[in-house]
Amino acid sequence: MFQTLYNYFWWERLWLPANLTWADLEDRDGRVYAKASDLYITLPLAFLFLVVRHLFETYVATPLAGLLNVKEKVRLKATPNAVLEKFYTATSKHPKQADVEMLSKKSGCTVRQVERWFRRRRNQDRPSLLKKFREASWRFTFYLIAFIAGMAVIVDKPWFYDLREVWKGYPIQSMLPSQYWYYMIELSFYWSLLFSIASDVKRKDFKEQIIHHVATIILISFSWFANYIRAGTLIMALHDSSDYLLESAKMFNYAGWRNTCNNIFIVFAAVFIITRLVILPFWIMHCTVFYPLDLYPAFFGYYFFNFMMVVLQSLHIFWAYLIIRMAQKFITGKVVEDERSDREETDNSEEEEEVAKNGPLSNGHPVLNNNHRKTD
Protein backbone atom coordinates (compact mmCIF):
# COMPACT_ATOMS: atom_id res chain seq x y z
CA MET A 1 0.00 0.00 0.00
CA PHE A 2 2.71 2.44 1.05
CA GLN A 3 4.86 1.51 -1.94
CA THR A 4 1.91 2.09 -4.28
CA LEU A 5 1.26 5.55 -2.85
CA TYR A 6 4.98 6.30 -3.03
CA ASN A 7 5.09 5.32 -6.71
CA TYR A 8 2.05 7.43 -7.53
CA PHE A 9 3.47 10.44 -5.68
CA TRP A 10 6.80 10.28 -7.51
CA TRP A 11 5.30 9.46 -10.89
CA GLU A 12 7.45 11.33 -13.43
CA ARG A 13 4.47 12.80 -15.27
CA LEU A 14 3.53 14.75 -12.14
CA TRP A 15 6.92 16.36 -11.70
CA LEU A 16 8.66 16.40 -15.07
CA PRO A 17 7.79 17.28 -18.68
CA ALA A 18 6.95 14.52 -21.13
CA ASN A 19 9.74 12.20 -22.32
CA LEU A 20 11.85 12.87 -19.21
CA THR A 21 12.43 10.57 -16.24
CA TRP A 22 14.19 10.76 -12.88
CA ALA A 23 17.09 8.94 -14.52
CA ASP A 24 17.75 12.07 -16.58
CA LEU A 25 18.42 13.95 -13.33
CA GLU A 26 20.92 11.55 -11.83
CA ASP A 27 24.35 12.96 -11.00
CA ARG A 28 26.92 12.26 -13.71
CA ASP A 29 29.98 13.79 -15.34
CA GLY A 30 30.47 16.21 -12.44
CA ARG A 31 26.93 17.60 -12.79
CA VAL A 32 24.79 17.60 -9.63
CA TYR A 33 21.00 17.79 -9.58
CA ALA A 34 18.46 18.54 -6.85
CA LYS A 35 17.04 15.52 -5.02
CA ALA A 36 14.05 15.24 -2.72
CA SER A 37 16.20 13.62 -0.04
CA ASP A 38 18.25 16.84 0.17
CA LEU A 39 15.35 18.51 1.98
CA TYR A 40 15.48 16.17 4.99
CA ILE A 41 18.18 18.40 6.43
CA THR A 42 15.79 21.37 6.62
CA LEU A 43 13.86 19.94 9.60
CA PRO A 44 16.84 19.66 11.98
CA LEU A 45 18.06 23.00 10.61
CA ALA A 46 14.67 24.51 11.48
CA PHE A 47 15.07 23.45 15.11
CA LEU A 48 18.61 24.81 15.03
CA PHE A 49 17.15 28.11 13.86
CA LEU A 50 14.84 28.10 16.90
CA VAL A 51 17.86 27.62 19.19
CA VAL A 52 19.82 30.37 17.43
CA ARG A 53 16.78 32.62 17.62
CA HIS A 54 16.49 32.07 21.38
CA LEU A 55 20.16 32.90 21.87
CA PHE A 56 19.92 35.93 19.59
CA GLU A 57 16.86 37.32 21.36
CA THR A 58 18.44 36.74 24.78
CA TYR A 59 21.97 38.00 24.18
CA VAL A 60 21.56 40.46 21.29
CA ALA A 61 17.97 41.71 20.95
CA THR A 62 17.33 42.20 24.67
CA PRO A 63 20.47 44.33 25.30
CA LEU A 64 19.70 46.24 22.09
CA ALA A 65 16.21 46.97 23.40
CA GLY A 66 17.81 48.39 26.54
CA LEU A 67 20.16 50.60 24.50
CA LEU A 68 17.23 51.92 22.45
CA ASN A 69 15.25 52.54 25.63
CA VAL A 70 12.38 50.24 24.69
CA LYS A 71 9.99 50.79 27.58
CA GLU A 72 7.20 48.52 28.66
CA LYS A 73 3.78 50.04 29.20
CA VAL A 74 2.46 49.53 32.71
CA ARG A 75 -0.57 47.26 32.56
CA LEU A 76 -3.10 47.02 35.35
CA LYS A 77 -3.89 43.40 36.22
CA ALA A 78 -7.43 42.12 36.48
CA THR A 79 -8.51 41.29 40.02
CA PRO A 80 -8.87 37.50 40.44
CA ASN A 81 -12.51 36.56 39.88
CA ALA A 82 -13.49 32.90 39.37
CA VAL A 83 -16.80 33.65 37.61
CA LEU A 84 -15.33 36.09 35.10
CA GLU A 85 -12.19 33.99 34.56
CA LYS A 86 -14.27 30.90 33.73
CA PHE A 87 -16.29 32.83 31.16
CA TYR A 88 -13.10 34.38 29.72
CA THR A 89 -11.31 31.06 29.23
CA ALA A 90 -14.26 28.85 28.30
CA THR A 91 -16.68 31.11 26.42
CA SER A 92 -15.41 34.41 25.06
CA LYS A 93 -12.83 37.11 25.66
CA HIS A 94 -15.25 39.68 24.25
CA PRO A 95 -18.60 39.22 26.00
CA LYS A 96 -21.71 40.72 24.48
CA GLN A 97 -23.77 43.25 26.42
CA ALA A 98 -26.25 40.60 27.53
CA ASP A 99 -23.36 38.45 28.80
CA VAL A 100 -21.87 41.43 30.66
CA GLU A 101 -25.18 42.03 32.47
CA MET A 102 -25.50 38.33 33.32
CA LEU A 103 -21.92 38.20 34.62
CA SER A 104 -22.54 41.36 36.64
CA LYS A 105 -25.31 39.60 38.55
CA LYS A 106 -23.34 36.38 39.03
CA SER A 107 -20.10 38.03 40.14
CA GLY A 108 -21.59 40.82 42.24
CA CYS A 109 -19.74 43.44 40.20
CA THR A 110 -21.21 46.41 38.39
CA VAL A 111 -21.47 46.39 34.60
CA ARG A 112 -18.61 48.91 34.38
CA GLN A 113 -16.45 46.77 36.64
CA VAL A 114 -17.08 43.69 34.47
CA GLU A 115 -16.19 45.63 31.32
CA ARG A 116 -13.03 46.97 32.96
CA TRP A 117 -12.07 43.47 34.17
CA PHE A 118 -12.30 42.04 30.64
CA ARG A 119 -10.26 44.92 29.21
CA ARG A 120 -7.48 44.36 31.75
CA ARG A 121 -7.63 40.58 31.34
CA ARG A 122 -7.28 40.86 27.56
CA ASN A 123 -4.33 43.21 27.98
CA GLN A 124 -2.63 40.65 30.23
CA ASP A 125 -2.66 38.16 27.37
CA ARG A 126 -1.25 40.60 24.84
CA PRO A 127 2.47 40.25 24.06
CA SER A 128 4.84 42.65 25.75
CA LEU A 129 6.67 45.39 23.87
CA LEU A 130 9.98 43.63 24.55
CA LYS A 131 8.65 40.39 23.02
CA LYS A 132 7.59 42.29 19.89
CA PHE A 133 10.96 44.04 19.65
CA ARG A 134 12.90 40.81 20.03
CA GLU A 135 10.82 39.08 17.37
CA ALA A 136 11.22 42.00 14.93
CA SER A 137 14.99 42.11 15.60
CA TRP A 138 15.38 38.42 14.78
CA ARG A 139 13.38 38.64 11.56
CA PHE A 140 15.15 41.84 10.51
CA THR A 141 18.53 40.17 10.97
CA PHE A 142 17.58 37.07 9.02
CA TYR A 143 15.81 38.86 6.16
CA LEU A 144 18.67 41.33 5.71
CA ILE A 145 21.31 38.58 5.64
CA ALA A 146 19.12 36.41 3.40
CA PHE A 147 18.56 39.26 0.94
CA ILE A 148 22.29 40.04 0.73
CA ALA A 149 23.12 36.32 0.36
CA GLY A 150 20.37 35.85 -2.22
CA MET A 151 21.64 38.71 -4.35
CA ALA A 152 25.17 37.29 -4.12
CA VAL A 153 23.81 33.96 -5.38
CA ILE A 154 21.95 35.32 -8.41
CA VAL A 155 23.43 38.70 -9.38
CA ASP A 156 26.17 37.17 -11.54
CA LYS A 157 23.86 34.65 -13.24
CA PRO A 158 22.59 35.25 -16.80
CA TRP A 159 18.95 34.53 -15.80
CA PHE A 160 19.05 37.50 -13.42
CA TYR A 161 19.21 39.78 -16.47
CA ASP A 162 17.39 37.64 -19.07
CA LEU A 163 14.45 35.65 -17.70
CA ARG A 164 14.40 33.36 -20.73
CA GLU A 165 17.68 31.95 -19.41
CA VAL A 166 15.69 30.55 -16.46
CA TRP A 167 14.42 27.77 -18.73
CA LYS A 168 17.44 27.26 -20.96
CA GLY A 169 18.15 23.51 -20.96
CA TYR A 170 15.40 22.79 -18.41
CA PRO A 171 15.18 20.47 -16.57
CA ILE A 172 18.75 19.30 -17.21
CA GLN A 173 20.19 22.18 -15.19
CA SER A 174 23.06 21.43 -12.83
CA MET A 175 22.73 22.73 -9.27
CA LEU A 176 25.36 25.04 -7.81
CA PRO A 177 26.52 24.78 -4.16
CA SER A 178 25.38 28.38 -3.52
CA GLN A 179 21.88 27.49 -4.75
CA TYR A 180 21.80 24.43 -2.52
CA TRP A 181 22.59 26.37 0.66
CA TYR A 182 20.32 29.27 -0.27
CA TYR A 183 17.42 26.84 -0.61
CA MET A 184 18.21 24.87 2.53
CA ILE A 185 18.52 28.00 4.70
CA GLU A 186 15.38 29.68 3.34
CA LEU A 187 13.25 26.56 3.66
CA SER A 188 14.58 25.83 7.15
CA PHE A 189 13.74 29.37 8.25
CA TYR A 190 10.14 29.10 7.04
CA TRP A 191 9.79 25.75 8.79
CA SER A 192 10.97 27.47 11.99
CA LEU A 193 8.41 30.24 11.50
CA LEU A 194 5.67 27.64 11.14
CA PHE A 195 6.85 25.78 14.25
CA SER A 196 6.93 28.96 16.34
CA ILE A 197 3.81 30.67 15.00
CA ALA A 198 1.69 29.57 17.97
CA SER A 199 4.04 31.31 20.43
CA ASP A 200 4.86 34.34 18.27
CA VAL A 201 2.95 37.63 18.40
CA LYS A 202 -0.55 36.93 17.06
CA ARG A 203 -2.10 39.46 14.71
CA LYS A 204 -5.39 39.80 12.89
CA ASP A 205 -3.91 38.14 9.80
CA PHE A 206 -2.91 35.04 11.80
CA LYS A 207 -4.71 32.68 9.40
CA GLU A 208 -3.20 34.42 6.38
CA GLN A 209 0.25 34.06 7.95
CA ILE A 210 -0.24 30.31 8.31
CA ILE A 211 -1.42 30.07 4.69
CA HIS A 212 1.60 32.10 3.61
CA HIS A 213 4.10 29.93 5.49
CA VAL A 214 2.54 26.68 4.24
CA ALA A 215 2.31 27.95 0.65
CA THR A 216 5.92 29.14 0.79
CA ILE A 217 7.16 25.79 2.14
CA ILE A 218 5.21 23.90 -0.54
CA LEU A 219 6.41 26.24 -3.28
CA ILE A 220 10.08 26.07 -2.25
CA SER A 221 9.92 22.28 -1.83
CA PHE A 222 8.14 21.69 -5.11
CA SER A 223 10.47 23.98 -7.04
CA TRP A 224 13.34 21.90 -5.63
CA PHE A 225 11.73 18.58 -6.61
CA ALA A 226 10.96 19.76 -10.14
CA ASN A 227 14.32 21.54 -10.55
CA TYR A 228 12.69 24.98 -10.80
CA ILE A 229 15.72 26.24 -8.88
CA ARG A 230 16.58 29.23 -11.05
CA ALA A 231 13.04 30.60 -10.79
CA GLY A 232 12.96 29.74 -7.08
CA THR A 233 16.08 31.75 -6.23
CA LEU A 234 14.67 34.79 -8.04
CA ILE A 235 11.36 34.53 -6.17
CA MET A 236 13.01 34.14 -2.74
CA ALA A 237 15.35 37.09 -3.25
CA LEU A 238 12.44 39.22 -4.44
CA HIS A 239 10.47 38.46 -1.28
CA ASP A 240 13.41 39.19 1.03
CA SER A 241 13.97 42.59 -0.59
CA SER A 242 11.20 44.31 1.39
CA ASP A 243 10.74 42.19 4.53
CA TYR A 244 13.79 43.54 6.38
CA LEU A 245 12.50 47.09 5.88
CA LEU A 246 9.21 46.25 7.58
CA GLU A 247 10.95 44.62 10.53
CA SER A 248 13.32 47.59 10.95
CA ALA A 249 10.32 49.96 10.93
CA LYS A 250 8.76 47.89 13.74
CA MET A 251 11.99 48.05 15.76
CA PHE A 252 12.16 51.85 15.54
CA ASN A 253 8.47 52.09 16.39
CA TYR A 254 8.89 50.04 19.57
CA ALA A 255 11.88 52.24 20.47
CA GLY A 256 9.68 55.34 20.08
CA TRP A 257 11.49 56.71 17.01
CA ARG A 258 8.23 57.58 15.29
CA ASN A 259 9.58 59.74 12.45
CA THR A 260 12.24 57.19 11.55
CA CYS A 261 9.64 54.43 11.70
CA ASN A 262 7.25 56.36 9.44
CA ASN A 263 9.93 57.16 6.86
CA ILE A 264 11.15 53.56 6.70
CA PHE A 265 7.58 52.33 6.43
CA ILE A 266 6.94 54.56 3.41
CA VAL A 267 10.07 53.15 1.76
CA PHE A 268 8.93 49.63 2.65
CA ALA A 269 5.47 50.27 1.17
CA ALA A 270 7.02 51.49 -2.10
CA VAL A 271 9.41 48.51 -2.32
CA PHE A 272 6.65 46.05 -1.42
CA ILE A 273 4.29 47.37 -4.08
CA ILE A 274 6.99 47.48 -6.76
CA THR A 275 8.33 43.99 -6.03
CA ARG A 276 5.12 42.12 -5.08
CA LEU A 277 2.52 43.84 -7.27
CA VAL A 278 4.62 44.76 -10.32
CA ILE A 279 7.82 42.73 -10.70
CA LEU A 280 6.44 39.44 -9.35
CA PRO A 281 3.25 39.21 -11.46
CA PHE A 282 4.42 40.98 -14.63
CA TRP A 283 8.00 39.66 -14.80
CA ILE A 284 8.47 36.56 -12.67
CA MET A 285 5.00 35.01 -13.09
CA HIS A 286 5.04 35.91 -16.77
CA CYS A 287 8.32 34.00 -16.93
CA THR A 288 6.91 30.92 -15.15
CA VAL A 289 3.57 30.89 -17.03
CA PHE A 290 4.54 31.63 -20.66
CA TYR A 291 8.23 30.89 -21.28
CA PRO A 292 8.12 27.17 -20.33
CA LEU A 293 5.43 26.53 -22.96
CA ASP A 294 7.97 27.39 -25.66
CA LEU A 295 10.03 24.37 -24.56
CA TYR A 296 7.53 21.67 -23.51
CA PRO A 297 3.76 21.02 -23.16
CA ALA A 298 2.15 21.96 -19.86
CA PHE A 299 2.14 19.19 -17.24
CA PHE A 300 0.87 18.82 -13.67
CA GLY A 301 3.98 20.36 -12.11
CA TYR A 302 3.67 23.41 -14.32
CA TYR A 303 0.04 23.97 -13.26
CA PHE A 304 0.74 23.26 -9.58
CA PHE A 305 3.72 25.62 -9.35
CA ASN A 306 1.82 28.49 -10.94
CA PHE A 307 -1.27 27.79 -8.81
CA MET A 308 0.84 28.21 -5.67
CA MET A 309 2.25 31.42 -7.14
CA VAL A 310 -1.33 32.69 -7.53
CA VAL A 311 -2.01 31.84 -3.86
CA LEU A 312 1.01 33.89 -2.79
CA GLN A 313 0.04 36.73 -5.10
CA SER A 314 -3.45 36.81 -3.58
CA LEU A 315 -1.92 37.20 -0.12
CA HIS A 316 0.30 39.99 -1.44
CA ILE A 317 -2.76 41.86 -2.69
CA PHE A 318 -4.44 41.46 0.71
CA TRP A 319 -1.38 42.77 2.56
CA ALA A 320 -0.85 45.56 0.01
CA TYR A 321 -4.36 46.80 0.82
CA LEU A 322 -3.48 47.02 4.53
CA ILE A 323 -0.10 48.60 3.79
CA ILE A 324 -1.57 51.27 1.52
CA ARG A 325 -4.17 52.15 4.17
CA MET A 326 -1.41 52.62 6.74
CA ALA A 327 0.83 54.55 4.35
CA GLN A 328 -2.00 56.98 3.57
CA LYS A 329 -2.47 57.67 7.27
CA PHE A 330 1.27 58.19 7.77
CA ILE A 331 1.40 60.69 4.90
CA THR A 332 -1.66 62.61 6.08
CA GLY A 333 -0.39 62.68 9.67
CA LYS A 334 -3.40 60.90 11.17
CA VAL A 335 -3.13 58.74 14.25
CA VAL A 336 -2.30 55.26 13.05
CA GLU A 337 -2.16 51.74 14.45
CA ASP A 338 -1.00 48.57 12.73
CA GLU A 339 -3.94 47.38 10.65
CA ARG A 340 -3.00 43.79 11.52
CA SER A 341 -2.79 44.26 15.30
CA ASP A 342 -5.31 44.42 18.10
CA ARG A 343 -5.54 47.78 19.79
CA GLU A 344 -4.19 48.07 23.33
CA GLU A 345 -7.19 48.78 25.55
CA THR A 346 -7.04 51.19 28.48
CA ASP A 347 -9.30 52.14 31.34
CA ASN A 348 -9.81 55.44 29.53
CA SER A 349 -11.87 53.59 26.95
CA GLU A 350 -15.06 54.51 28.78
CA GLU A 351 -14.25 58.20 28.51
CA GLU A 352 -13.30 57.74 24.86
CA GLU A 353 -16.66 56.13 24.18
CA GLU A 354 -18.39 59.11 25.77
CA VAL A 355 -16.35 61.54 23.66
CA ALA A 356 -17.20 59.60 20.52
CA LYS A 357 -20.90 59.74 21.39
CA ASN A 358 -21.23 63.29 22.70
CA GLY A 359 -18.12 65.34 21.96
CA PRO A 360 -16.28 66.56 18.85
CA LEU A 361 -13.73 64.28 17.20
CA SER A 362 -10.12 65.14 16.52
CA ASN A 363 -9.26 64.68 12.83
CA GLY A 364 -12.25 62.37 12.49
CA HIS A 365 -11.04 60.04 15.25
CA PRO A 366 -11.82 59.79 18.96
CA VAL A 367 -9.02 60.83 21.28
CA LEU A 368 -6.50 57.99 21.57
CA ASN A 369 -4.11 57.18 24.36
CA ASN A 370 -0.62 58.48 23.61
CA ASN A 371 0.87 55.05 24.17
CA HIS A 372 -0.91 53.48 21.20
CA ARG A 373 1.56 52.31 18.61
CA LYS A 374 1.44 53.21 14.94
CA THR A 375 2.75 49.90 13.71
CA ASP A 376 3.64 46.72 15.41
Side-chain angles (χ1 to χ4, degrees), residues 220-285:
I220 294 175
S221 301
F222 178 82
S223 65
W224 184 262
F225 297 157
N227 212 26
Y228 275 36
I229 295 178
R230 294 181 181 180
T233 53
L234 291 174
I235 294 167
M236 290 188 294
L238 190 71
H239 280 72
D240 291 334
S241 65
S242 61
D243 289 339
Y244 69 91
L245 291 170
L246 175 61
E247 300 304 329
S248 63
K250 291 180 183 180
M251 292 170 62
F252 283 114
N253 177 64
Y254 302 145
W257 298 29
R258 299 303 177 82
N259 290 334
T260 304
C261 164
N262 295 354
N263 292 333
I264 294 177
F265 186 85
I266 295 301
V267 175
F268 157 74
V271 174
F272 184 96
I273 291 170
I274 292 171
T275 56
R276 309 287 182 95
L277 300 188
V278 179
I279 296 178
L280 185 64
F282 295 107
W283 270 269
I284 304 299
M285 291 182 68

Side-chain angles (χ1 to χ4, degrees), residues 59-70:
Y59 298 105
V60 178
T62 300
L64 180 61
L67 291 174
L68 293 177
N69 200 27
V70 175

Side-chain angles (χ1 to χ4, degrees), residues 138-184:
W138 165 246
R139 296 193 184 198
F140 164 76
T141 302
F142 176 83
Y143 288 135
L144 180 60
I145 294 174
F147 175 63
I148 295 172
M151 292 305 296
V153 168
I154 64 175
V155 74
D156 62 337
K157 306 300 186 294
W159 52 87
F160 181 71
Y161 305 95
D162 181 4
L163 291 179
R164 290 191 179 275
E165 291 286 331
V166 167
W167 305 108
K168 186 176 180 180
Y170 178 83
I172 313 300
Q173 296 173 338
S174 182
M175 176 187 62
L176 303 174
S178 59
Q179 293 173 324
Y180 171 85
W181 284 112
Y182 188 34
Y183 255 80
M184 297 305 108

Side-chain angles (χ1 to χ4, degrees), residues 8-18 22 167 170-171 218-228 231 235 288-289 292-293 296-310:
Y8 274 118
F9 183 80
W10 292 111
W11 183 38
E12 283 113 342
R13 295 290 68 79
L14 291 178
W15 303 93
L16 301 173
W22 294 118
W167 305 108
Y170 178 83
I218 292 174
L219 192 57
I220 294 175
S221 301
F222 178 82
S223 65
W224 184 262
F225 297 157
N227 212 26
Y228 275 36
I235 294 167
T288 61
V289 171
L293 299 180
Y296 53 80
F299 62 106
F300 173 80
Y302 163 86
Y303 290 116
F304 183 79
F305 181 85
N306 286 294
F307 169 75
M308 296 307 298
M309 289 291 291
V310 170

Side-chain angles (χ1 to χ4, degrees), residues 355-374:
V355 172
K357 291 178 182 177
N358 306 318
L361 302 182
S362 173
N363 293 326
H365 297 274
V367 178
L368 298 182
N369 185 283
N370 290 333
N371 289 322
H372 290 335
R373 299 286 174 176
K374 291 185 178 181

